Amino acid sequence: MPSDQQDNQEPLGALLGFLERDPTNKTLRLEAGELALAAGRPDICVKLVSESGNQDEAAFLELKARASMAAGDFEAAIRIFLSLISEFPKNFVLAANLSAAYFGAGKYEDALKQLDLKRPQETAHLAMIAIRASHILGDFEQAKQQCDLNTQAFQNDTQVSSAASLVYLDAGEIENASKYAQLSSETSDAKSVIGYISLQDKDLDIAKTSFEQAIALQSKNPRGLIGLGLIYLLARDYYQSTSLFERALEIWPDNSGLALTTGWAHLLNDNLKMAKSFFERAAEADRNFGEAQGAYALSLLLEGEATAAEEHHKRAIRLDRQNFASMLFQIIKVSSTSPEQADAILKRAVQTPIGSNEETVLEAVKGFGLMPPEKRSK
Protein backbone atom coordinates (compact mmCIF):
# COMPACT_ATOMS: atom_id res chain seq x y z
CA MET A 1 0.00 0.00 0.00
CA PRO A 2 1.41 3.46 -0.91
CA SER A 3 2.53 5.51 2.08
CA ASP A 4 -0.06 8.27 1.50
CA GLN A 5 -2.86 5.69 1.60
CA GLN A 6 -1.36 4.10 4.73
CA ASP A 7 -1.21 7.50 6.41
CA ASN A 8 -4.96 7.94 5.94
CA GLN A 9 -5.97 4.59 7.45
CA GLU A 10 -5.97 5.71 11.10
CA PRO A 11 -7.79 9.04 10.49
CA LEU A 12 -10.38 7.13 8.43
CA GLY A 13 -11.00 4.72 11.29
CA ALA A 14 -11.49 7.61 13.70
CA LEU A 15 -13.88 9.41 11.35
CA LEU A 16 -15.93 6.25 10.82
CA GLY A 17 -16.22 5.96 14.59
CA PHE A 18 -17.60 9.50 14.81
CA LEU A 19 -20.04 8.72 12.01
CA GLU A 20 -21.40 5.70 13.89
CA ARG A 21 -22.39 8.06 16.68
CA ASP A 22 -23.84 10.66 14.29
CA PRO A 23 -25.02 8.73 11.16
CA THR A 24 -27.22 11.53 9.78
CA ASN A 25 -24.40 14.07 9.65
CA LYS A 26 -24.02 14.75 5.88
CA THR A 27 -20.82 16.74 6.22
CA LEU A 28 -19.19 14.02 8.30
CA ARG A 29 -20.30 11.33 5.83
CA LEU A 30 -18.86 13.26 2.86
CA GLU A 31 -15.59 13.82 4.71
CA ALA A 32 -15.40 10.12 5.57
CA GLY A 33 -16.04 9.25 1.92
CA GLU A 34 -13.25 11.55 0.75
CA LEU A 35 -10.87 10.08 3.31
CA ALA A 36 -11.83 6.54 2.26
CA LEU A 37 -10.84 7.42 -1.31
CA ALA A 38 -7.56 8.92 -0.12
CA ALA A 39 -6.92 5.73 1.88
CA GLY A 40 -7.42 3.57 -1.22
CA ARG A 41 -10.77 2.18 -0.05
CA PRO A 42 -13.33 3.07 -2.72
CA ASP A 43 -15.50 0.19 -1.46
CA ILE A 44 -15.98 1.97 1.88
CA CYS A 45 -16.72 5.21 0.04
CA VAL A 46 -19.47 3.59 -2.07
CA LYS A 47 -20.92 1.95 1.07
CA LEU A 48 -21.01 5.31 2.85
CA VAL A 49 -22.88 6.89 -0.07
CA SER A 50 -25.29 3.98 -0.41
CA GLU A 51 -26.18 4.09 3.30
CA SER A 52 -26.84 7.80 3.13
CA GLY A 53 -30.36 9.11 2.97
CA ASN A 54 -29.00 11.81 0.68
CA GLN A 55 -27.40 9.59 -1.98
CA ASP A 56 -29.27 11.35 -4.80
CA GLU A 57 -27.80 14.72 -3.94
CA ALA A 58 -25.16 16.03 -6.34
CA ALA A 59 -22.32 15.95 -3.80
CA PHE A 60 -22.96 12.31 -2.95
CA LEU A 61 -23.40 11.31 -6.60
CA GLU A 62 -20.15 12.99 -7.55
CA LEU A 63 -18.35 11.20 -4.71
CA LYS A 64 -19.84 7.85 -5.76
CA ALA A 65 -18.71 8.44 -9.35
CA ARG A 66 -15.13 9.09 -8.27
CA ALA A 67 -15.24 6.01 -6.03
CA SER A 68 -16.48 3.95 -9.00
CA MET A 69 -13.52 5.20 -11.06
CA ALA A 70 -11.10 4.32 -8.26
CA ALA A 71 -12.62 0.82 -8.15
CA GLY A 72 -12.25 0.44 -11.94
CA ASP A 73 -15.96 0.67 -12.73
CA PHE A 74 -15.57 3.38 -15.35
CA GLU A 75 -18.92 2.77 -17.04
CA ALA A 76 -20.78 3.44 -13.78
CA ALA A 77 -18.74 6.60 -13.29
CA ILE A 78 -19.52 7.77 -16.83
CA ARG A 79 -23.26 7.32 -16.29
CA ILE A 80 -23.21 9.35 -13.08
CA PHE A 81 -21.00 12.14 -14.47
CA LEU A 82 -23.22 12.46 -17.55
CA SER A 83 -26.32 12.81 -15.39
CA LEU A 84 -24.62 15.47 -13.26
CA ILE A 85 -23.37 17.40 -16.29
CA SER A 86 -26.91 17.53 -17.64
CA GLU A 87 -27.74 19.53 -14.50
CA PHE A 88 -24.47 21.49 -14.31
CA PRO A 89 -23.31 21.80 -17.95
CA LYS A 90 -20.57 24.38 -17.29
CA ASN A 91 -18.94 22.61 -14.34
CA PHE A 92 -15.25 22.15 -15.22
CA VAL A 93 -14.57 19.59 -12.48
CA LEU A 94 -17.34 17.31 -13.72
CA ALA A 95 -16.09 17.57 -17.31
CA ALA A 96 -12.54 16.80 -16.17
CA ASN A 97 -13.65 13.75 -14.21
CA LEU A 98 -15.79 12.59 -17.14
CA SER A 99 -12.73 12.81 -19.38
CA ALA A 100 -10.78 10.67 -16.90
CA ALA A 101 -13.62 8.12 -16.76
CA TYR A 102 -13.78 7.90 -20.56
CA PHE A 103 -10.00 7.45 -20.68
CA GLY A 104 -10.14 4.68 -18.10
CA ALA A 105 -12.86 2.96 -20.13
CA GLY A 106 -10.73 3.09 -23.28
CA LYS A 107 -13.03 5.62 -24.96
CA TYR A 108 -10.24 7.92 -26.03
CA GLU A 109 -12.11 10.10 -28.53
CA ASP A 110 -14.78 10.85 -25.91
CA ALA A 111 -12.07 11.62 -23.37
CA LEU A 112 -10.54 14.22 -25.69
CA LYS A 113 -13.92 15.83 -26.44
CA GLN A 114 -14.16 16.96 -22.82
CA LEU A 115 -10.85 18.85 -23.05
CA ASP A 116 -9.77 22.15 -24.58
CA LEU A 117 -6.81 21.00 -26.66
CA LYS A 118 -5.80 24.52 -27.71
CA ARG A 119 -4.21 25.40 -24.38
CA PRO A 120 -2.36 23.67 -21.53
CA GLN A 121 -4.59 21.52 -19.36
CA GLU A 122 -5.61 22.58 -15.86
CA THR A 123 -4.05 19.55 -14.16
CA ALA A 124 -1.18 17.17 -14.83
CA HIS A 125 -3.57 14.22 -15.01
CA LEU A 126 -5.61 15.90 -17.74
CA ALA A 127 -2.38 16.77 -19.57
CA MET A 128 -1.40 13.10 -19.47
CA ILE A 129 -4.83 12.14 -20.86
CA ALA A 130 -4.54 14.70 -23.68
CA ILE A 131 -1.13 13.31 -24.67
CA ARG A 132 -1.81 9.59 -24.26
CA ALA A 133 -5.30 9.58 -25.82
CA SER A 134 -4.01 11.44 -28.90
CA HIS A 135 -1.08 9.01 -29.12
CA ILE A 136 -3.22 5.88 -28.73
CA LEU A 137 -5.56 7.12 -31.47
CA GLY A 138 -2.55 7.39 -33.78
CA ASP A 139 -2.70 11.18 -34.19
CA PHE A 140 1.02 11.90 -33.89
CA GLU A 141 0.72 15.57 -34.77
CA GLN A 142 -1.91 16.22 -32.13
CA ALA A 143 0.02 14.13 -29.62
CA LYS A 144 3.16 16.20 -30.22
CA GLN A 145 1.15 19.42 -29.98
CA GLN A 146 -0.15 18.29 -26.61
CA CYS A 147 3.42 17.49 -25.55
CA ASP A 148 4.55 20.98 -26.57
CA LEU A 149 1.65 22.60 -24.71
CA ASN A 150 1.82 20.60 -21.52
CA THR A 151 5.41 19.57 -20.84
CA GLN A 152 6.38 23.14 -20.02
CA ALA A 153 3.32 23.68 -17.84
CA PHE A 154 3.99 20.43 -15.95
CA GLN A 155 7.72 20.04 -16.41
CA ASN A 156 8.21 18.38 -13.01
CA ASP A 157 5.39 15.88 -13.39
CA THR A 158 6.53 12.35 -14.17
CA GLN A 159 3.23 11.14 -15.69
CA VAL A 160 3.33 13.96 -18.25
CA SER A 161 7.03 13.45 -19.02
CA SER A 162 6.70 9.67 -19.40
CA ALA A 163 3.72 10.09 -21.74
CA ALA A 164 5.72 12.58 -23.81
CA SER A 165 8.73 10.25 -23.97
CA LEU A 166 6.58 7.54 -25.61
CA VAL A 167 5.16 9.98 -28.17
CA TYR A 168 8.60 11.21 -29.19
CA LEU A 169 9.98 7.66 -29.32
CA ASP A 170 7.26 6.55 -31.74
CA ALA A 171 7.67 9.77 -33.72
CA GLY A 172 11.37 9.00 -34.16
CA GLU A 173 12.48 12.09 -32.22
CA ILE A 174 15.03 10.25 -30.11
CA GLU A 175 16.59 13.31 -28.46
CA ASN A 176 13.24 14.44 -27.06
CA ALA A 177 12.30 10.86 -26.16
CA SER A 178 15.51 10.54 -24.15
CA LYS A 179 15.04 13.96 -22.51
CA TYR A 180 11.57 13.20 -21.17
CA ALA A 181 12.46 9.63 -20.23
CA GLN A 182 15.27 10.99 -18.06
CA LEU A 183 12.82 13.42 -16.42
CA SER A 184 10.58 10.48 -15.48
CA SER A 185 13.27 7.83 -15.17
CA GLU A 186 11.64 5.98 -12.27
CA THR A 187 8.47 5.16 -14.23
CA SER A 188 7.90 1.92 -16.12
CA ASP A 189 7.27 3.66 -19.46
CA ALA A 190 10.40 5.78 -19.19
CA LYS A 191 12.52 2.71 -18.47
CA SER A 192 11.07 1.00 -21.54
CA VAL A 193 11.92 4.08 -23.64
CA ILE A 194 15.48 4.07 -22.31
CA GLY A 195 15.61 0.36 -23.16
CA TYR A 196 14.44 0.95 -26.74
CA ILE A 197 16.97 3.72 -27.29
CA SER A 198 19.75 1.54 -25.86
CA LEU A 199 18.64 -1.36 -28.07
CA GLN A 200 18.77 0.84 -31.15
CA ASP A 201 22.26 1.92 -30.07
CA LYS A 202 23.19 -1.78 -29.64
CA ASP A 203 23.92 -1.29 -25.93
CA LEU A 204 22.26 -4.58 -25.05
CA ASP A 205 23.26 -4.72 -21.37
CA ILE A 206 21.64 -1.38 -20.54
CA ALA A 207 18.65 -2.26 -22.72
CA LYS A 208 18.11 -5.59 -20.95
CA THR A 209 18.34 -4.02 -17.49
CA SER A 210 15.96 -1.22 -18.47
CA PHE A 211 13.34 -3.61 -19.85
CA GLU A 212 13.59 -5.84 -16.77
CA GLN A 213 13.10 -2.79 -14.54
CA ALA A 214 10.13 -1.65 -16.63
CA ILE A 215 8.45 -5.04 -16.21
CA ALA A 216 9.27 -5.16 -12.48
CA LEU A 217 7.44 -1.84 -12.05
CA GLN A 218 4.54 -2.82 -14.32
CA SER A 219 4.22 -6.49 -15.20
CA LYS A 220 1.89 -5.73 -18.13
CA ASN A 221 4.03 -3.05 -19.78
CA PRO A 222 3.83 -4.21 -23.43
CA ARG A 223 6.88 -2.25 -24.56
CA GLY A 224 8.95 -3.70 -21.74
CA LEU A 225 7.84 -7.22 -22.66
CA ILE A 226 8.52 -6.67 -26.37
CA GLY A 227 11.91 -5.10 -25.69
CA LEU A 228 13.04 -7.91 -23.41
CA GLY A 229 11.73 -10.39 -25.98
CA LEU A 230 13.90 -8.74 -28.62
CA ILE A 231 16.94 -9.02 -26.34
CA TYR A 232 16.36 -12.77 -26.02
CA LEU A 233 15.67 -13.03 -29.76
CA LEU A 234 19.05 -11.44 -30.56
CA ALA A 235 20.65 -13.91 -28.12
CA ARG A 236 18.85 -16.68 -30.09
CA ASP A 237 16.86 -17.75 -27.05
CA TYR A 238 13.71 -18.22 -29.10
CA TYR A 239 11.74 -19.94 -26.33
CA GLN A 240 12.05 -16.95 -23.99
CA SER A 241 11.41 -14.45 -26.78
CA THR A 242 8.20 -16.13 -27.99
CA SER A 243 6.93 -16.32 -24.41
CA LEU A 244 7.47 -12.59 -23.86
CA PHE A 245 6.01 -11.60 -27.24
CA GLU A 246 2.89 -13.67 -26.57
CA ARG A 247 2.45 -12.00 -23.17
CA ALA A 248 2.64 -8.63 -24.91
CA LEU A 249 0.09 -9.77 -27.51
CA GLU A 250 -2.40 -10.44 -24.70
CA ILE A 251 -2.22 -6.70 -24.00
CA TRP A 252 -1.94 -5.51 -27.62
CA PRO A 253 -3.94 -8.19 -29.49
CA ASP A 254 -4.35 -6.16 -32.70
CA ASN A 255 -0.69 -5.14 -32.99
CA SER A 256 0.28 -6.48 -36.42
CA GLY A 257 4.00 -5.80 -36.02
CA LEU A 258 4.08 -7.67 -32.73
CA ALA A 259 2.22 -10.63 -34.26
CA LEU A 260 4.75 -10.60 -37.11
CA THR A 261 7.69 -10.51 -34.69
CA THR A 262 6.19 -13.40 -32.72
CA GLY A 263 5.78 -15.39 -35.92
CA TRP A 264 9.44 -14.93 -36.85
CA ALA A 265 10.54 -16.04 -33.38
CA HIS A 266 8.49 -19.22 -33.76
CA LEU A 267 9.87 -19.81 -37.27
CA LEU A 268 13.43 -19.48 -36.01
CA ASN A 269 12.50 -21.90 -33.23
CA ASP A 270 11.54 -24.48 -35.93
CA ASN A 271 7.83 -24.21 -35.21
CA LEU A 272 6.40 -23.55 -38.67
CA LYS A 273 2.79 -24.21 -37.65
CA MET A 274 2.84 -21.53 -34.92
CA ALA A 275 4.81 -19.16 -37.15
CA LYS A 276 2.23 -19.44 -39.90
CA SER A 277 -0.64 -18.71 -37.49
CA PHE A 278 1.02 -15.52 -36.24
CA PHE A 279 2.00 -14.41 -39.75
CA GLU A 280 -1.61 -14.90 -40.84
CA ARG A 281 -2.78 -12.94 -37.80
CA ALA A 282 -0.43 -10.09 -38.69
CA ALA A 283 -1.56 -10.10 -42.33
CA GLU A 284 -5.23 -10.02 -41.28
CA ALA A 285 -4.65 -7.24 -38.72
CA ASP A 286 -3.10 -4.94 -41.35
CA ARG A 287 -3.77 -5.89 -44.96
CA ASN A 288 -1.51 -3.06 -46.16
CA PHE A 289 1.53 -4.22 -44.20
CA GLY A 290 3.81 -5.70 -46.88
CA GLU A 291 6.12 -7.43 -44.42
CA ALA A 292 3.20 -9.31 -42.85
CA GLN A 293 1.87 -10.39 -46.25
CA GLY A 294 5.37 -11.46 -47.29
CA ALA A 295 5.97 -13.47 -44.13
CA TYR A 296 2.63 -15.25 -44.51
CA ALA A 297 3.55 -16.07 -48.12
CA LEU A 298 6.89 -17.43 -46.92
CA SER A 299 5.20 -19.72 -44.36
CA LEU A 300 2.85 -21.02 -47.05
CA LEU A 301 5.84 -21.73 -49.31
CA LEU A 302 7.62 -23.60 -46.52
CA GLU A 303 4.48 -25.69 -45.97
CA GLY A 304 4.38 -26.58 -49.65
CA GLU A 305 1.27 -24.54 -50.51
CA ALA A 306 2.84 -23.08 -53.64
CA THR A 307 -0.24 -21.55 -55.28
CA ALA A 308 -1.47 -19.72 -52.17
CA ALA A 309 2.11 -18.71 -51.38
CA GLU A 310 2.58 -17.12 -54.80
CA GLU A 311 -0.69 -15.19 -54.47
CA HIS A 312 0.28 -13.66 -51.14
CA HIS A 313 3.83 -13.05 -52.33
CA LYS A 314 2.53 -10.96 -55.26
CA ARG A 315 0.37 -8.94 -52.87
CA ALA A 316 3.35 -8.33 -50.60
CA ILE A 317 5.47 -7.12 -53.52
CA ARG A 318 2.73 -4.74 -54.64
CA LEU A 319 2.64 -3.25 -51.14
CA ASP A 320 6.40 -3.12 -50.55
CA ARG A 321 8.86 -4.26 -53.22
CA GLN A 322 11.73 -4.24 -50.72
CA ASN A 323 10.04 -6.21 -47.93
CA PHE A 324 12.44 -8.59 -46.23
CA ALA A 325 10.24 -11.69 -46.21
CA SER A 326 9.63 -11.52 -49.97
CA MET A 327 13.36 -11.34 -50.63
CA LEU A 328 13.85 -14.45 -48.53
CA PHE A 329 10.87 -16.03 -50.33
CA GLN A 330 12.59 -15.52 -53.69
CA ILE A 331 15.89 -16.94 -52.46
CA ILE A 332 14.24 -20.09 -51.07
CA LYS A 333 12.00 -20.51 -54.12
CA VAL A 334 14.94 -20.33 -56.55
CA SER A 335 17.61 -22.11 -54.51
CA SER A 336 15.92 -24.91 -52.59
CA THR A 337 14.53 -28.21 -53.81
CA SER A 338 13.64 -29.69 -50.42
CA PRO A 339 12.42 -28.60 -46.97
CA GLU A 340 15.89 -29.31 -45.59
CA GLN A 341 17.51 -26.91 -48.08
CA ALA A 342 14.92 -24.25 -47.32
CA ASP A 343 15.62 -24.63 -43.60
CA ALA A 344 19.35 -24.35 -44.23
CA ILE A 345 18.84 -21.10 -46.17
CA LEU A 346 16.73 -19.69 -43.34
CA LYS A 347 19.38 -20.64 -40.77
CA ARG A 348 22.11 -18.95 -42.86
CA ALA A 349 20.00 -15.79 -43.05
CA VAL A 350 20.21 -15.53 -39.25
CA GLN A 351 23.89 -14.66 -39.67
CA THR A 352 24.22 -13.56 -43.30
CA PRO A 353 22.73 -10.21 -44.41
CA ILE A 354 20.37 -10.28 -47.38
CA GLY A 355 18.30 -7.76 -49.34
CA SER A 356 18.88 -4.13 -50.23
CA ASN A 357 19.25 -3.15 -46.56
CA GLU A 358 21.76 -5.94 -46.00
CA GLU A 359 20.04 -7.18 -42.85
CA THR A 360 20.08 -10.56 -41.16
CA VAL A 361 16.76 -12.10 -40.13
CA LEU A 362 17.40 -11.05 -36.54
CA GLU A 363 18.13 -7.43 -37.49
CA ALA A 364 15.01 -7.25 -39.64
CA VAL A 365 12.78 -8.75 -36.94
CA LYS A 366 14.20 -6.37 -34.33
CA GLY A 367 13.09 -3.52 -36.58
CA PHE A 368 9.55 -4.91 -36.80
CA GLY A 369 9.33 -5.13 -33.03
CA LEU A 370 10.51 -1.55 -32.53
CA MET A 371 8.18 -0.08 -35.15
CA PRO A 372 5.17 1.86 -33.80
CA PRO A 373 1.78 0.49 -34.94
CA GLU A 374 0.69 3.66 -36.75
CA LYS A 375 3.69 3.53 -39.11
CA ARG A 376 3.70 -0.12 -40.17
CA SER A 377 1.58 0.15 -43.29
CA LYS A 378 3.12 3.42 -44.53
Side-chain angles (χ1 to χ4, degrees):
M1 179 181 290
S3 60
D4 57 337
Q5 292 183 359
Q6 185 66 48
D7 292 343
N8 284 304
Q9 294 294 316
E10 188 174 337
L12 174 61
L15 203 55
L16 290 174
F18 292 138
L19 191 60
E20 282 184 8
R21 295 191 290 274
D22 189 6
T24 61
N25 189 319
K26 290 198 302 183
T27 301
L28 196 60
R29 188 170 291 273
L30 286 169
E31 289 177 357
E34 292 286 0
L35 200 55
L37 278 182
R41 294 299 305 274
D43 55 321
I44 292 178
C45 182
V46 171
K47 185 172 183 288
L48 288 169
V49 173
S50 300
E51 292 174 348
S52 169
N54 312 93
Q55 59 181 299
D56 292 331
E57 292 185 9
F60 282 95
L61 284 172
E62 192 269 345
L63 182 60
K64 183 178 181 180
R66 286 190 286 119
S68 297
M69 272 206 298
D73 190 350
F74 297 106
E75 293 297 339
I78 289 168
R79 288 193 296 272
I80 297 171
F81 285 132
L82 285 173
S83 69
L84 288 170
I85 286 174
S86 68
E87 293 184 49
F88 308 100
K90 295 184 179 180
N91 188 302
F92 163 77
V93 174
L94 291 176
N97 281 325
L98 179 59
S99 178
Y102 276 132
F103 183 81
K107 298 180 177 181
Y108 304 114
E109 291 181 350
D110 289 326
L112 291 175
K113 287 177 183 177
Q114 313 307 315
L115 306 177
D116 182 353
L117 299 179
K118 295 179 181 178
R119 62 188 67 188
Q121 299 302 315
E122 295 291 334
T123 69
H125 188 64
L126 292 178
M128 180 276 293
I129 290 173
I131 294 169
R132 285 197 188 274
S134 300
H135 186 192
I136 291 168
L137 290 170
D139 191 337
F140 274 84
E141 287 307 311
Q142 180 168 285
K144 288 199 291 183
Q145 287 170 3
Q146 292 308 305
C147 289
D148 293 341
L149 283 171
N150 291 290
T151 50
Q152 290 301 313
F154 303 101
Q155 55 186 311
N156 295 320
D157 188 89
T158 56
Q159 63 177 333
V160 174
S161 293
S162 64
S165 70
L166 289 174
V167 171
Y168 287 121
L169 178 72
D170 283 354
E173 298 183 19
I174 302 304
E175 185 175 341
N176 277 331
S178 178
K179 171 185 173 181
Y180 288 106
Q182 296 300 331
L183 289 173
S184 53
S185 60
E186 296 308 307
T187 67
S188 179
D189 281 335
K191 289 187 181 299
S192 68
V193 170
I194 293 168
Y196 270 54
I197 294 171
S198 300
L199 182 54
Q200 289 173 330
D201 291 341
K202 299 184 179 180
D203 195 335
L204 301 187
D205 290 336
I206 291 178
K208 185 173 187 288
T209 299
S210 298
F211 292 135
E212 289 172 338
Q213 291 173 340
I215 296 167
L217 288 168
Q218 183 186 341
S219 62
K220 292 187 177 182
N221 182 324
R223 293 170 187 272
L225 293 168
I226 294 168
L228 189 58
L230 291 172
I231 293 292
Y232 282 114
L233 183 78
L234 293 172
R236 304 184 195 180
D237 186 339
Y238 304 128
Y239 176 80
Q240 287 281 11
S241 63
T242 53
S243 175
L244 287 159
F245 293 149
E246 288 176 15
R247 283 173 60 188
L249 268 172
E250 292 177 4
I251 305 163
W252 279 353
D254 298 323
N255 189 318
S256 59
L258 177 54
L260 174 65
T261 304
T262 308
W264 275 108
H266 277 295
L267 185 60
L268 294 171
N269 199 33
D270 296 321
N271 192 334
L272 176 57
K273 182 178 179 181
M274 289 295 290
K276 180 185 173 186
S277 70
F278 282 105
F279 289 153
E280 184 176 17
R281 178 173 172 175
E284 286 293 323
D286 187 348
R287 292 179 177 275
N288 294 318
F289 187 15
E291 286 289 356
Q293 300 296 333
Y296 183 46
L298 177 63
S299 67
L300 290 168
L301 179 69
L302 294 173
E303 277 201 334
E305 300 180 39
T307 302
E310 195 63 41
E311 179 184 335
H312 283 276
H313 172 65
K314 288 177 180 177
R315 176 176 175 80
I317 291 296
R318 286 198 302 270
L319 291 167
D320 178 4
R321 296 190 65 82
Q322 301 299 318
N323 84 80
F324 182 86
S326 290
M327 294 179 192
L328 192 54
F329 179 104
Q330 291 281 42
I331 294 171
I332 290 175
K333 180 183 175 183
V334 170
S335 305
S336 70
T337 57
S338 68
E340 291 75 19
Q341 283 185 320
D343 185 64
I345 291 170
L346 181 61
K347 292 294 189 292
R348 284 200 300 274
V350 171
Q351 302 181 60
T352 306
I354 66 171
S356 59
N357 292 329
E358 295 189 347
E359 292 179 313
T360 65
V361 169
L362 296 181
E363 289 168 339
V365 175
K366 182 185 80 170
F368 306 149
L370 293 173
M371 208 181 292
E374 296 80 7
K375 293 189 174 182
R376 288 193 176 102
S377 59
K378 295 181 180 179

